[in-house]
Amino acid sequence: MDNPPLSPALNDRAERQIPGYRSLARLAVALLSGFPTAAIAAAPVLVVGCGTGNELIEARAQRKDWQLTAVDPSLAMLEAARQRLGDDAHQVEWVQGPVEDLPGKQRFAAATAVLVLQELADDGSKLQFLVSLARLLQPGAPLLLIDLMGGGSGLNGAMEQQFLAAQNQFQLASGLELELSPSCEGVFPIGEARRSALLNAAGFSDPIRVFQALQYEGVVAMRRQ
């Protein structure tokens, strides 16, 4: 059976939600390429929550030698990413399901998880997710996380409300209804202190911020030796 055509909305939704999203995939690949574990030829790299494949496409453009594994619970997203990669799709290992089910230890030289942690409740699910990534990553390997941040993110109350208002206005100006905010069902943002505590408990170093656009933040943490 032929694959259904890819809806343009799948491609640009996150771009219309997040200021600067267009450059995030390029930044992610450029950043991770500089870490010793991922700098070597044919480094195995894990893309968690691959969505429609932005990081995969950029990785194929910048680092054709990387051995990519793409994981997403959604078959529709995996199919969308396959379509976008075209002939390069056969160069990627595709895995449908949660990353927690991926077998093995210390398999990967780097990993990205864009807009994934925010979708997990802080009831042990966030920690389990990070522990699984720590199990899969080589010592010293970087993990790039990009998520919506919530209370305790280092902003005072007035500034946090200002950022939220700007985020809402950005989404409205981009033609979206206000579907993604700290109070929305299905999104569970946390603050900087909680994120650092979870990363440390899972076996990662303290995170270093590499991206911020209003309440969206990107950090890199390394798998501890």
Side-chain angles (χ1 to χ4, degrees), residues 15 34 36 45 54 61 94 114 117-118 138 173 179 190 206 217 220:
E15 183 177 316
V45 173
N54 286 350
W94 303 94
V114 177
L117 190 65
Q118 67 180 34
Q138 301 165 7
E179 298 178 0
I190 54 177
D206 290 333
E217 287 187 10
V220 169

Side-chain angles (χ1 to χ4, degrees), residues 77-192:
M77 288 295 185
L78 291 175
E79 290 300 325
R82 282 194 185 100
Q83 288 185 50
R84 292 186 68 200
L85 262 70
D87 292 341
D88 281 346
H90 71 281
Q91 301 288 345
V92 178
E93 178 185 357
W94 303 94
V95 180
Q96 182 188 3
V99 73
E100 291 87 341
D101 292 347
L102 209 60
K105 294 182 179 179
Q106 300 184 10
R107 293 176 51 186
F108 297 100
T112 67
V114 177
L115 308 182
V116 179
L117 190 65
Q118 67 180 34
E119 296 184 356
L120 303 174
D122 195 10
D123 58 359
S125 299
K126 289 184 189 293
L127 180 58
Q128 183 181 6
F129 172 75
L130 294 172
V131 167
S132 296
L133 289 175
R135 167 177 57 83
L136 292 164
L137 285 170
Q138 301 165 7
L143 166 65
L144 175 66
L145 296 172
I146 299 173
D147 291 290
L148 179 70
M149 298 295 288
S153 58
L155 300 173
N156 63 42
M159 186 58 70
E160 187 168 4
Q161 288 303 310
Q162 186 69 36
F163 274 26
L164 178 58
Q167 177 187 305
N168 290 344
Q169 180 59 34
F170 177 86
Q171 293 184 14
L172 287 171
S174 300
L176 289 180
E177 296 181 4
L178 299 182
E179 298 178 0
L180 188 59
S181 73
S183 62
C184 278
E185 183 179 357
V187 182
F188 306 94
I190 54 177
E192 290 181 8

Side-chain angles (χ1 to χ4, degrees), residues 7-17 52 176:
S7 166
L10 287 176
N11 269 344
D12 67 5
R13 182 175 186 78
E15 183 177 316
R16 290 185 291 151
Q17 288 174 336
T52 58
L176 289 180

